[in-house]
Amino acid sequence: MHMRIKSWLTLFLAIALAVSTAACSGGSKSGQKATPSESPASPSASVSAGAGPGGDEPGWKSDTSPITFDWYLNFAWFPNKWGVDPTSQYVTRKTGVNINFIVPAGNENEKLNAMIASGELPDFITLGWWEEGVRKMVEGGLVYALDELAEEYDPYFFKVADPAKLAWYQQPDGHTYVYPNASSSPKDYEKYGTHFTSNQTFVVRKDMYEALGKPDMRTPEGFLNALRAAKEKFPTVNGLPLIPIGFHEFTDTGNYSFESYLQNFLAIPMEKDGKLYDRLTDPEYIRWLKVFRQANEEGLIAKDVFIDKRAQMEEKIAQGRYFAMLYQRTDFAAQQNVLYANDPNSVYIAIDGPANTNLDPPKLSGPGISGWTVTLISKNVKDKARAIRFLTYLISEEGQKDLYLGEKGVTWDTIDGKDQFKPEVLELLNKDRSEFDKKYGASYTFWMLMDTNMNLQWAPPAVEPFKQMEDWTRGKTVSYSQFDLLDPPSTSEEGIANTKIGQEWGKTLPKLLLAKSEEEFDRVFAEFLEKRESYGFAKLQEYKQKKYEENVKKLEEFLK
């Protein structure tokens, strides 16, 4: 089964980025195409390409004439535009680069696939590392190798790029076509590990939980009893029905909450004795799926959770209608702020959730070397030299500081010997992330190439109502990097099997939870396993095992 998303939200989400990504469910295309005067298509382009600096000096400094790059983000919810805030304005004044963000209005994959099929890709493309579009663009020859662009136009790239990240994403041809954000290598774990947190949490509404006597929800009995008690004691919230427990949205391939999240809370291993372990058939996992089935049978799972999308869930979270949620904490940071402003006791707090029979602590997904998203430069790019130089600037410490802190004197200053946000800026960051993004554009409002380890030197300490949830994950976090990038090409025999199995699971999971009896549950699950086998599960696992072993060797090399 595809380890969806994953470790994508690893540390980056742990450091307050959250709400900028959580606040909006729609996006719009911003800005206009570059005008002829902005696009160095000619004399200035050839000059900038041919007169590049050596590797000791950042390449972007050699040409800061105006240019506008089109940058596609494969995330329909991205709400921000470049150039309307002081941070992005500062970067443009400094580098000459303006950005026109292109965001899909509807289904991301449809938009991306249409662009790939037409060959009409914008200058930059950012999407999740796990998405098939990455492979299609690389194997289709639609994007440049970053190392080749750097060698020709900006050797400084090799001074600031992380060799481990380049090696992790290196293709069989020896070249690397993507660069990740929010990525942590094995050496990063050695250096920053004590700071690492996870985004995966089991949360409860604080006032309700305390009113119930802070019940232990680690066991099936305690879990169900707490949901029953919550529904009985708090049947409505401001006149609306209480939703005893909430999850991520159901998709055509399943639900994160019921897959990696639940499995990590149960500390189910992903491998045993060097062999990939089938977590889906683990007895502890089956045991807890049956607990949720029983919860539904008792009316403790509202029908809403099977149909609600993120926008509907965010509205209900802001209303405080969920008693508990198995959910990634940063996805509801904006709503948490609303609750906190209304009543600090009505916020959600992280507690020990479902556990295995031994009550072992969870093993939550922490930062991984794959990161969250990857960025590519298309072969349609207006100016190869300016593109790789701008990417190099963005991943350098100078670019990271500019996009995190903004412009000195505007959003930050040196206070008590430390470079940090000005008090009024920090206040808004902690109070209203969406408004902060619009007004200041700092703290990785533009997160496409953010380095979440580098920003630790500038990041302010977490505050409530977020600190408790973040702190709860400390010490429970592990890297699952070796299990990334295991999926086969979608058009291969194994890839077709992977797609069929994923879609079959997407149909099976709701049936399991809605089953009227354990006998029906067992029958539905057995049918799924039979179909999974007939689709080619054994061959798929064989492919993934090989990729897993390759990953383990790579990661070991990075520590040498």
Side-chain angles (χ1 to χ4, degrees):
M1 190 79 47
H2 190 324
M3 237 189 95
R4 293 182 300 277
I5 310 183
K6 338 113 203 102
S7 28
W8 42 284
L9 292 159
T10 56
L11 178 65
F12 105 83
L13 287 167
I15 313 179
L17 162 83
V19 200
S20 108
T21 67
C24 289
S25 60
S28 62
K29 296 179 182 179
S30 59
Q32 300 295 320
K33 297 289 185 181
T35 64
S37 62
E38 289 176 312
S39 177
S42 50
S44 64
S46 57
V47 169
S48 73
D56 295 329
E57 185 73 12
W60 66 267
K61 293 183 177 181
S62 66
D63 184 356
T64 58
S65 60
I67 183 172
T68 295
F69 284 121
D70 294 324
W71 195 315
Y72 175 75
L73 298 174
N74 201 41
F75 299 91
W77 46 256
F78 184 77
N80 303 302
K81 295 183 179 181
W82 187 271
V84 299
D85 61 85
T87 297
S88 59
Q89 290 169 359
Y90 169 60
V91 171
T92 294
R93 287 199 314 272
K94 182 174 184 175
T95 65
V97 176
N98 183 40
I99 297 174
N100 169 44
F101 284 121
I102 300 170
V103 179
N107 184 285
E108 291 97 340
N109 287 334
E110 288 181 5
K111 172 70 173 178
L112 182 61
N113 287 334
M115 289 195 302
I116 292 173
S118 69
E120 296 179 1
L121 293 172
D123 304 295
F124 289 88
I125 307 100
T126 294
L127 68 168
W129 63 258
W130 61 93
E131 299 190 60
E132 181 65 20
V134 177
R135 195 191 317 262
K136 288 180 179 178
M137 287 185 284
V138 172
E139 294 182 354
L142 301 176
V143 292
Y144 283 113
L146 300 182
D147 55 300
E148 289 188 315
L149 287 180
E151 285 173 2
E152 186 170 358
Y153 300 111
D154 192 12
Y156 194 76
F157 171 85
F158 297 106
K159 284 187 176 293
V160 298
D162 187 326
K165 295 170 188 177
L166 293 177
W168 181 250
Y169 280 109
Q170 188 179 69
Q171 294 298 301
D173 64 5
H175 297 297
T176 301
Y177 297 81
V178 309
Y179 201 83
N181 74 353
S183 167
S184 292
S185 68
K187 286 189 176 179
D188 287 329
Y189 262 83
E190 291 183 343
K191 186 174 181 180
Y192 304 106
T194 56
H195 298 281
F196 287 167
T197 57
S198 177
N199 200 35
Q200 298 179 335
T201 48
F202 177 71
V203 300
V204 291
R205 192 170 139 166
K206 183 175 184 290
D207 50 2
M208 294 181 181
Y209 182 67
E210 291 176 348
L212 296 177
K214 299 182 179 180
D216 185 345
M217 298 182 71
R218 294 177 297 169
T219 66
E221 299 76 17
F223 182 84
L224 290 170
N225 284 336
L227 296 185
R228 293 170 186 138
K231 185 176 181 181
E232 181 179 349
K233 191 174 182 68
F234 307 101
T236 61
V237 179
N238 295 325
L240 297 168
L242 176 80
I243 303 172
I245 187 164
F247 316 98
H248 281 275
E249 68 179 84
F250 284 81
T251 71
D252 60 352
T253 56
N255 184 309
Y256 309 145
S257 298
F258 288 103
E259 292 147 19
S260 60
Y261 280 38
L262 178 58
Q263 291 161 354
N264 290 349
F265 265 87
L266 301 179
I268 298 172
M270 294 191 69
E271 61 83 27
K272 287 186 176 182
D273 300 322
K275 297 294 182 183
L276 290 177
Y277 181 62
D278 184 10
R279 296 173 110 193
L280 212 60
T281 57
D282 184 87
E284 295 282 1
Y285 179 61
I286 300 300
R287 173 175 171 248
W288 270 94
L289 281 185
K290 289 184 174 181
V291 171
F292 286 107
R293 185 215 66 80
Q294 183 177 342
N296 181 71
E297 184 181 11
E298 295 184 24
L300 301 174
I301 296 181
K303 296 297 180 277
D304 305 41
V305 305
F306 292 99
I307 57 175
D308 280 352
K309 299 301 180 185
R310 180 161 166 167
Q312 288 77 46
M313 287 185 281
E314 287 176 351
E315 181 181 2
K316 290 169 181 175
I317 294 171
Q319 295 167 342
R321 288 182 60 192
Y322 297 99
F323 165 61
M325 293 187 288
L326 189 57
Y327 208 73
Q328 53 192 22
R329 58 189 173 81
T330 47
D331 265 21
F332 64 93
Q335 294 71 39
Q336 181 85 321
N337 253 336
V338 171
L339 295 170
Y340 189 71
N342 292 335
D343 178 3
N345 284 318
S346 70
V347 300
Y348 289 93
I349 58 172
I351 66 167
D352 294 335
N356 61 32
T357 305
N358 296 328
L359 300 182
D360 294 323
K363 292 185 177 180
L364 307 176
S365 177
I369 193 169
S370 297
W372 171 37
T373 67
V374 292
T375 293
L376 308 89
I377 297 175
S378 88
K379 288 190 175 178
N380 293 333
V381 68
K382 297 180 182 73
D383 187 322
K384 293 183 284 186
R386 293 294 294 280
I388 189 63
R389 291 170 186 172
F390 187 60
L391 186 148
T392 299
Y393 158 75
L394 291 176
I395 67 174
S396 71
E397 183 163 347
E398 181 178 8
Q400 292 291 313
K401 186 174 184 179
D402 288 347
L403 280 179
Y404 189 81
L405 286 179
E407 183 178 7
K408 187 171 186 179
V410 178
T411 48
W412 70 276
D413 225 321
T414 304
I415 304 171
D416 299 327
K418 175 180 170 61
D419 293 347
Q420 56 185 297
F421 288 121
K422 297 169 73 173
E424 66 273 19
V425 177
L426 181 59
E427 181 182 6
L428 185 59
L429 173 63
N430 290 329
K431 182 181 178 182
D432 188 336
R433 176 72 210 216
S434 300
E435 184 59 30
F436 172 92
D437 288 349
K438 296 172 188 172
K439 185 171 183 178
Y440 297 117
S443 186
Y444 292 133
T445 296
F446 306 103
W447 39 257
M448 298 82 71
L449 285 162
M450 65 180 178
D451 186 324
T452 44
N453 296 321
M454 195 179 292
N455 86 0
L456 291 171
Q457 60 189 305
W458 311 301
V463 297
E464 298 302 352
F466 315 109
K467 185 177 185 300
Q468 187 275 339
M469 291 190 293
E470 180 178 312
D471 287 346
W472 181 86
T473 70
R474 295 186 194 278
K476 303 178 179 74
T477 311
V478 298
S479 172
Y480 289 113
S481 290
Q482 63 270 41
F483 304 102
D484 290 346
L485 302 174
L486 300 187
D487 285 349
S490 60
T491 54
S492 67
E493 183 181 350
E494 296 87 352
I496 292 170
N498 197 37
T499 299
K500 286 183 177 179
I501 292 169
Q503 292 172 344
E504 189 65 39
W505 175 248
K507 291 185 285 188
T508 299
L509 178 60
K511 292 179 182 177
L512 294 173
L513 301 174
L514 294 168
K516 292 182 170 53
S517 65
E518 277 204 26
E519 291 74 21
E520 183 181 344
F521 178 103
D522 290 338
R523 177 181 57 76
V524 171
F525 194 69
E527 289 174 356
F528 165 74
L529 293 181
E530 287 179 13
K531 288 183 179 179
R532 187 178 73 162
E533 203 61 40
S534 70
Y535 292 149
F537 178 69
K539 194 163 187 177
L540 173 62
Q541 287 300 89
E542 186 180 331
Y543 177 94
K544 289 186 174 184
Q545 178 67 33
K546 182 181 177 183
K547 299 295 290 185
Y548 162 69
E549 291 171 4
E550 291 173 1
N551 284 352
V552 171
K553 289 179 182 177
K554 269 190 184 180
L555 292 169
E556 289 173 349
E557 286 293 321
F558 296 159
L559 285 171
K560 291 181 180 178

